[in-house]
Amino acid sequence: MSEVKAYGAADSKADLKEIKIERRVIQPRDVKIKITYCGVCHSDIHTVRNDWGGSKYPVVPGHEIIGKVLEIGNEVENIKVGDTVGVGCMVDSCRECEPCKQDLEQFCEQGMVGTYNGRDKHLGGHTFGGYSEEIVVDNYYVLRVPENLDENAVAPLLCAGITTFSPLNHWKVSKGDKVGVIGLGGLGHMGIKFAHAMGAHVVMITTSPGKAEDAKRLGADEVLISKDTDAMKKHANSFDFLLNTVPVGHDINPYLSLLKIDATMCMVGAVEPLEAVHGGSLIMGRKNVAGSLIGGIKETQEMLDFCGEHNIVSDIEMIDMHTINEAYERVVDGDVKYRFVIDMESLRN
Ligand code: NAP
Ligand code: ZN
Ligand code: ZN
């Protein structure tokens, strides 16, 4: 085992501060990674603050990890020392159940092992994420990063990227479809970029009129202010697909009125009760509400390769590790364009 520096929270009310954690000795299929950058996902904040219940402390968040390979186990073939690699939201799963066999490890019947707050099969206790100097991960869950992309801006692809790419892919968004992305934050800004790259007519649906210009720069063809009821009416029954990234429970009925007959709104943000859905919002137009959780390892690699081909990365603001608590407040206030990424050198110094 080796001891490394990390940033963690002792309980749901505590700030994050420097702590020490253990990383396991590398096993034959493991990869030891020196973490260079780690994105800040809203899920990190939900977990630190125990918004969803079940958080295990100390919480060391971080599941948008980029780093350099320091060491590999003797059975690792596809990764070399010195490679730039990524780790997302999962570090293990059973690999035997139907979902695992179908490359849907995020839905593993035994429960996938989260990069943080998962059950640590090796050391006991729970897993610690990317707000740390190093991590040891089974090579199957380690992703290759396209060489043409900026490493620091790639970090958020490991969660915000795959979480938005996967539903757009699954519901086969393609050229000419009218797609709405609801909520312009870390996930939403990736949703716009992907839907645009897939050839859709993209409408950014936001509560923040001040983000309109950015939305267009990111690839939106139109901006719809969700609080403007007249504007919402003009777009009624016109969307082929909606991707809803709002991080809290809310009233989805106004959004359902935007869908065409048989169209789907996929929820990825609110992992908590939604306000009551009026049956008529679904019945009138045979509409669907669905959900999606990150994406499997194979699809995550496809997403990274797609980003390499289309030159897609996140719009990021780099921060030092010791400013993380202020950064959390800014994410909650919607004041980030559009993803914080921690320069992990700042933890080593
Ligand atoms: P974020 O950066 O905070 O962005 C969320 C955006 O939603 C905000 O910028 C805001 O955009 C909008 N919003 C916030 N509060 C709202 C409200 N009350 N009503 C309507 N819109 C509101 O968060 P994120 O990192 O993108 O994450 C979004 C959510 O997805 C989080 O809950 C996170 O835990 C979850 N998540 C899920 C998965 C998954 O696999 N399903 C993966 C990663 C994250 P506007 O100003 O444009 O309205
Ligand atoms: Zn995340
Ligand atoms: Zn499984």
Side-chain angles (χ1 to χ4, degrees):
M1 281 197 302
S2 55
E3 199 180 59
V4 298
K5 280 196 257 176
Y7 249 62
D11 62 62
S12 64
K13 301 273 182 293
D15 276 352
L16 282 90
K17 62 180 181 41
E18 192 176 315
I19 59 170
K20 292 271 168 46
I21 57 167
E22 301 286 354
R23 293 300 189 192
R24 68 176 180 261
V25 173
I26 71 163
Q27 305 296 302
R29 293 148 54 106
D30 280 346
V31 177
K32 184 178 193 172
I33 301 161
K34 175 186 174 184
I35 301 173
T36 47
Y37 300 104
C38 187
V40 177
C41 178
H42 206 126
S43 302
D44 300 352
I45 304 172
H46 286 310
T47 308
V48 164
R49 298 187 175 174
N50 202 20
D51 290 342
W52 300 326
S55 293
K56 299 177 198 80
Y57 295 91
V59 171
V60 174
H63 58 203
E64 294 183 337
I65 298 169
I66 292 291
K68 293 266 183 252
V69 176
L70 289 175
E71 209 180 325
I72 55 169
N74 55 18
E75 290 176 20
V76 175
E77 289 173 352
N78 54 344
I79 294 165
K80 300 186 305 300
V81 171
D83 282 356
T84 301
V85 292
V87 177
C89 304
M90 291 182 282
V91 289
D92 211 346
S93 63
C94 85
R95 306 170 208 203
E96 286 168 0
C97 70
E98 273 313 303
C100 278
K101 282 191 210 148
Q102 291 168 23
D103 296 309
L104 295 169
E105 301 89 357
Q106 74 273 35
F107 303 125
C108 174
E109 288 169 2
Q110 309 289 319
M112 57 99 156
V113 178
T115 304
Y116 57 81
N117 253 251
R119 188 174 63 83
D120 190 325
K121 293 180 190 169
H122 300 266
L123 298 180
H126 61 278
T127 53
F128 297 120
Y131 297 6
S132 58
E133 293 178 288
E134 292 174 8
I135 191 167
V136 178
V137 181
D138 184 297
N139 74 105
Y140 182 78
Y141 301 85
V142 175
L143 287 309
R144 292 183 310 279
V145 174
E147 282 174 7
N148 58 318
L149 303 178
D150 280 343
E151 282 173 37
N152 49 14
V154 169
L157 301 178
L158 277 309
C159 176
I162 184 61
T163 301
T164 49
F165 180 85
S166 180
L168 294 167
N169 204 17
H170 180 77
W171 275 276
K172 301 187 168 53
V173 162
S174 52
K175 200 167 168 49
D177 285 347
K178 182 171 172 183
V179 170
V181 177
I182 306 169
L184 181 42
L187 267 52
H189 96 290
M190 291 312 306
I192 301 178
K193 291 187 186 205
F194 286 134
H196 176 75
M198 290 170 183
H201 178 88
V202 187
V203 182
M204 182 64 231
I205 305 172
T206 176
T207 59
S208 310
K211 293 181 184 173
E213 232 171 84
D214 274 352
K216 292 204 169 145
R217 179 180 54 77
L218 293 164
D221 298 284
E222 289 180 70
V223 176
L224 171 57
I225 308 300
S226 51
K227 292 171 184 161
D228 180 342
T229 42
D230 286 342
M232 289 287 276
K233 269 189 203 138
K234 282 188 197 134
H235 285 269
N237 308 313
S238 68
F239 282 84
D240 295 286
F241 185 71
L242 290 173
L243 181 63
N244 185 327
T245 77
V246 175
V248 289
H250 60 285
D251 180 9
I252 63 170
N253 293 288
Y255 300 121
L256 291 172
S257 69
L258 299 174
L259 291 172
K260 279 184 184 168
I261 294 169
D262 282 333
T264 296
M265 172 162 71
C266 178
M267 310 297 298
V268 290
V271 192
E272 56 184 36
L274 300 168
E275 287 176 31
V277 178
H278 193 292
S281 303
L282 298 169
I283 291 168
M284 305 305 288
R286 207 160 56 188
K287 294 173 181 179
N288 306 287
V289 181
S292 186
L293 176 69
I294 47 175
I297 292 297
K298 182 164 175 265
E299 195 179 32
T300 305
Q301 190 62 59
E302 283 166 16
M303 177 276 306
L304 286 168
D305 296 344
F306 181 91
C307 289
E309 265 166 51
H310 295 262
N311 244 308
I312 294 175
V313 287
S314 287
D315 284 31
I316 62 160
E317 187 178 328
M318 288 278 272
I319 57 168
D320 282 354
M321 190 72 257
H322 64 269
T323 62
I324 189 70
N325 295 300
E326 290 95 274
Y328 274 19
E329 293 309 321
R330 285 185 52 198
V331 172
V332 173
D333 292 343
D335 175 26
V336 49
K337 292 185 172 178
Y338 277 94
R339 200 58 143 185
F340 287 122
V341 171
I342 308 161
D343 179 350
M344 296 310 305
E345 270 317 301
S346 61
L347 177 62
R348 276 182 269 273
N349 293 332

